[in-house]
Amino acid sequence: MPRVRRALPALPPVPALLLSMVSIQGGAAFAKTLFPALGAAGTTALRVTLAAALLSLVFRPRLRALTPEAWRAVLPYGVALGLMNLSFYLALTRLPLGLAVTLEFVGPLVLSLALSRRIQDLLWVALAALGIVLIAPHGGGGHLDLLGAGLALTAGAFWALYILTGGAVGRRVPGVTGVVAGMIVAAVVTLPFGIATAGVTLLAPSALLAGLAVAVLSSALPYSLEMVALRALPARVFGVLMSVEPAIAALSGLLFLHERLSVLQWLAILCVISASVGISLSGERQVVEAEPAN
């Protein structure tokens, strides 16, 4: 057990974040196949609850040792985590995986812009906005599902909140205790929705087995890895490094769900990724330029 505790923090933050993105998008593609049986809310609840149980068994966190100050950081982190997953899975019922993640990514992108405070970044805002516009003409009907888009954007807002609150948890709570505590809070938030949607179907052996796989791929592994990155990286840098997430999602949707995107939609994803990279580079230049003055 002590070996497991030391393994995650030893992983460098950037590889940890990349591995997290690959895992979470592969898990999301698999989770979407469970929607016909469990619904989006049921799949979310099963995933988050099993992830919380799995993390608790593996790491055995000392939750009673958490101070009131630590819980004040963990609670908003867990709520953001639960609602982010719930709204995103609901969006997946109406949108392809790649497009849903691209719209969701607006949240971290706006956060990066807000923390950048550079006039030049307005150009990157325009490029990201162009990407969002290019998403619209998808599917045979040639229109964007507005409810699905709204849910994906809502998930993006909770994602931005998750980044901010996760950084606070990483600084105040030692080890992976913050991840486990936050996942338990997220389970409490999502479980009522799952029970209302899927009921006793959540307890079927096949559902539990599939949910366990999704929990490992989409929650237990990636959120533990992301906490490694959150401890070492500022919120703005973390948000920008997530820029490849839409492309990973689109490839996962293509490989596992056979969700094909149009040329314009791939261009939209490229616009959003390019905007994030541009913000990252301009932010790095800002830091370098400011250092001699200090």
Side-chain angles (χ1 to χ4, degrees), residues 40-169:
T43 303
T44 303
L46 194 61
R47 161 191 165 179
V48 175
T49 301
L50 290 176
L54 183 62
L55 286 173
S56 298
L57 289 173
V58 172
F59 296 107
R60 300 184 183 278
R62 298 176 58 191
L63 298 180
R64 293 183 180 180
L66 292 180
T67 64
E69 180 184 7
W71 278 113
R72 282 193 292 271
V74 167
L75 286 175
Y77 167 74
V79 171
L81 183 59
L83 294 180
M84 174 183 71
N85 283 290
L86 180 61
S87 53
F88 177 69
Y89 273 22
L90 289 171
L92 285 184
T93 63
R94 296 174 171 271
L95 297 175
L97 179 59
L99 300 188
V101 171
T102 302
L103 288 170
E104 183 191 28
F105 191 73
V106 171
L109 181 57
V110 170
L111 174 62
S112 298
L113 290 169
L115 296 175
S116 178
R117 306 178 188 279
R118 286 175 58 89
I119 297 178
Q120 294 93 323
D121 287 337
L122 292 177
L123 296 176
W124 304 117
V125 173
L127 183 59
L130 174 62
I132 301 305
V133 170
L134 291 175
I135 285 178
H138 75 80
H143 67 279
L144 181 68
D145 188 299
L146 294 181
L147 179 56
L151 288 167
L153 291 172
T154 300
F158 285 120
W159 190 1
L161 181 60
Y162 161 78
I163 292 171
L164 291 174
T165 56
V169 170

Side-chain angles (χ1 to χ4, degrees), residues 269-293:
I269 292 173
L270 180 60
C271 286
V272 173
I273 291 175
S274 299
S276 297
V277 172
I279 294 167
S280 177
L281 293 176
S282 66
E284 289 300 321
R285 286 196 297 269
Q286 184 181 17
V287 172
V288 171
E289 292 169 0
E291 284 178 353

Side-chain angles (χ1 to χ4, degrees), residues 224-266:
S224 297
L225 292 169
E226 283 182 13
M227 186 56 69
V228 174
L230 282 167
R231 287 197 191 93
L233 301 172
R236 177 184 60 80
V237 177
F238 178 91
V240 170
L241 286 176
M242 300 292 286
S243 61
V244 297
E245 186 99 22
I248 293 174
L251 290 173
S252 295
L254 176 63
L255 293 174
F256 303 119
L257 301 173
H258 308 292
E259 294 176 341
R260 299 184 179 277
L261 303 180
S262 67
V263 174
L264 284 180
Q265 290 162 354
W266 277 105

Side-chain angles (χ1 to χ4, degrees), residues 38 41-43 45-46 50 191 194-205 207-208:
L38 301 176
T43 303
L46 194 61
L50 290 176
L191 197 54
I195 293 174
T197 301
V200 296
T201 307
L202 294 174
L203 300 177
L208 290 173

